Amino acid sequence: GAGVSQTPSNKVTEKGKYVELRCDPISGHTALYWYRQSLGQGPEFLIYFQGTGAADDSGLPNDRFFAVRPEGSVSTLKIQRTERGDSAMYLCASSRELYSGANVLTFGAGSRLTVL
Amino acid sequence: EDQVTQSPEALRLQEGESSSLNCSYTVSGLRGLFWYRQDPGKGPEFLFTLYSAGEEKEKERLKATLTKKESFLHITAPKPEDSATYLCAAVGLARKLIWGLGTSLAVNP
């Protein structure tokens, strides 16, 4: 697609529920990133994929968070047993080049998660 | 520890009133310094990458500069549509992008 697409744009759920957030990166971009951003904060790194594999998942806060990218394109961030502290904007980004740390990232519009 | 600090936290300007945003960084072996713009409820949008001290880049009313310790985003004769949060990020030898908290800019007509 022309840009990074994220769905849903808004998700309201109850504490303890399971949530899936989807990201469709720019066609041909091999690298895909998930970030989390709270109000007034900069993006917080969660996980990075190069192709189908999670090359760096060091930012996932705990084992309730999991992400997949089975065919090297669309990715799904999965959150189990949601907690109120999980409420945030979840941002997906992609880049054309192999990860170097200095990649230009193209972000999606984000998925706003609210856990009641 | 690698760190990025942005100032001021918030800035309010009148249309046409030029100013600068600051990004101070402490990063071992800087590989790149990035500026992004973020509108409310949207993801960050890439503006500039700077790689070495002395480098400057321009885009419309924006100019980004880099020294060995900080970067400035100069805004010349801003317009209301320049209102946004401007985020700075740096990456060093650790190859981890370190983000600042951003400067929220409001330009009044």
Side-chain angles (χ1 to χ4, degrees):
Chain A
V4 177
S5 176
Q6 290 190 247
T7 55
S9 55
N10 274 290
K11 177 70 177 180
V12 180
T13 190
E14 293 179 343
K15 181 175 178 295
K17 298 289 188 182
Y18 170 80
V19 165
E20 287 190 353
L21 307 175
R22 174 189 165 106
C23 173
D24 195 347
I26 292 174
S27 178
H29 279 199
T30 58
L32 184 146
Y33 312 75
W34 282 100
Y35 283 85
R36 178 169 70 175
Q37 187 178 28
S38 299
L39 203 60
Q41 303 291 313
E44 172 195 2
F45 171 78
L46 296 177
I47 187 170
Y48 150 70
F49 287 89
Q50 189 66 50
T52 59
D56 183 353
D57 64 358
S58 62
L60 295 177
N62 51 58
D63 61 7
R64 295 186 298 104
F65 288 75
F66 189 71
V68 296
R69 194 186 185 197
E71 297 179 356
S73 178
V74 171
S75 175
T76 304
L77 178 65
K78 307 181 181 192
I79 310 174
Q80 297 178 320
R81 304 183 303 281
T82 51
E83 300 177 356
R84 292 192 180 88
D86 299 335
S87 297
M89 176 74 89
Y90 288 82
L91 295 166
C92 177
S94 67
S95 65
R96 182 173 47 229
E97 311 87 359
L98 291 176
Y99 180 74
S100 68
N103 305 82
V104 172
L105 304 180
T106 301
F107 284 87
S111 292
R112 167 73 62 190
L113 175 66
T114 303
V115 182
L116 301 177
Chain B
E1 181 184 349
D2 292 346
Q3 196 169 351
V4 171
T5 303
Q6 292 188 246
S7 62
E9 289 184 13
L11 181 63
R12 186 175 292 276
L13 299 173
Q14 288 300 122
E15 185 172 2
E17 179 187 0
S18 301
S19 188
S20 295
L21 312 182
N22 177 266
C23 171
S24 297
Y25 64 91
T26 307
V27 168
S28 299
L30 183 73
R31 296 168 64 95
L33 187 293
F34 299 82
W35 284 98
Y36 284 80
R37 169 192 169 127
Q38 187 171 25
D39 292 299
K42 298 193 175 179
E45 176 186 352
F46 171 74
L47 292 173
F48 304 108
T49 309
L50 302 167
Y51 296 102
S52 57
E55 190 174 359
E56 299 183 353
K57 288 191 177 173
E58 285 188 68
K59 179 181 178 181
E60 295 180 357
R61 296 176 292 282
L62 301 177
K63 182 167 86 171
T65 61
L66 183 65
T67 73
K68 289 186 178 180
K69 294 184 178 180
E70 56 194 352
S71 177
F72 293 94
L73 184 65
H74 307 276
I75 304 177
T76 302
K79 298 182 177 181
E81 53 262 43
D82 295 322
S83 298
T85 294
Y86 290 86
L87 292 165
C88 171
V91 60
L93 291 174
R95 303 207 315 164
K96 289 283 191 183
L97 199 57
I98 309 297
W99 294 84
L101 300 183
T103 293
S104 176
L105 173 67
V107 181
N108 297 324

